[in-house]
Amino acid sequence: MHATSVLRNAARTPLIRFLGKRSVPTSVDHTPRAHPASPSGSLPDSFVTYRAKAQQHGPLGAAAVGAGWIGRRPGAALGPVEPKAGEFFDRDELPQRFHRLPWTETEIEAIETGGASLFN
């Protein structure tokens, strides 16, 4: 007797059992609603009004998009990119106590061996 042929011919019974017959709901309400956790509790009037207020990697407002100047000019033309007072772009711009610490030989060895070198 060949086990593979027996297994292929065996009827597969799923391990999960569903209760009742499958049914598709007859009516589903697809009207847009504000998310329950939204701060305003209301939907925007339109995508255009949302886009006018949005800010993502630069201005997305109607003045920037409608004029068509984003994408036609280099990024430097959008203005200077300087951090505000008290903001820093990199950790190395902070005082020395906040800089990254150099790796020690023990830490490098522990990482390379997956921690096995710690248990000699």
Side-chain angles (χ1 to χ4, degrees), residues 40-86:
S40 64
S42 64
L43 292 171
D45 298 334
S46 67
F47 184 71
V48 175
T49 58
Y50 160 75
R51 185 90 170 165
K53 299 177 201 170
Q55 178 83 11
Q56 176 183 359
H57 310 298
L60 296 177
V65 176
W69 57 276
I70 290 186
R72 294 184 184 183
R73 295 184 182 180
L78 294 175
V81 181
E82 296 294 327
K84 297 175 185 170

Side-chain angles (χ1 to χ4, degrees), residues 23-45:
S23 62
V24 178
T26 56
S27 64
V28 178
D29 185 18
H30 289 290
T31 56
R33 280 183 237 128
H35 191 274
S38 72
S40 64
S42 64
L43 292 171
D45 298 334

Side-chain angles (χ1 to χ4, degrees), residues 1-108:
M1 183 167 122
H2 300 287
T4 53
S5 64
V6 171
L7 288 175
R8 279 189 199 148
N9 296 332
R12 184 184 167 277
T13 56
L15 297 176
I16 187 170
R17 295 186 186 269
F18 296 98
L19 299 175
K21 188 178 178 182
R22 291 185 187 176
S23 62
V24 178
T26 56
S27 64
V28 178
D29 185 18
H30 289 290
T31 56
R33 280 183 237 128
H35 191 274
S38 72
S40 64
S42 64
L43 292 171
D45 298 334
S46 67
F47 184 71
V48 175
T49 58
Y50 160 75
R51 185 90 170 165
K53 299 177 201 170
Q55 178 83 11
Q56 176 183 359
H57 310 298
L60 296 177
V65 176
W69 57 276
I70 290 186
R72 294 184 184 183
R73 295 184 182 180
L78 294 175
V81 181
E82 296 294 327
K84 297 175 185 170
E87 291 183 358
F88 300 94
F89 286 149
D90 191 57
R91 188 182 260 181
D92 293 334
E93 298 171 3
L94 293 170
Q96 182 66 34
R97 64 182 182 186
F98 298 113
H99 286 201
R100 293 174 182 88
L101 296 174
W103 294 90
T104 64
E105 285 296 322
T106 308
E107 292 171 327
I108 294 171

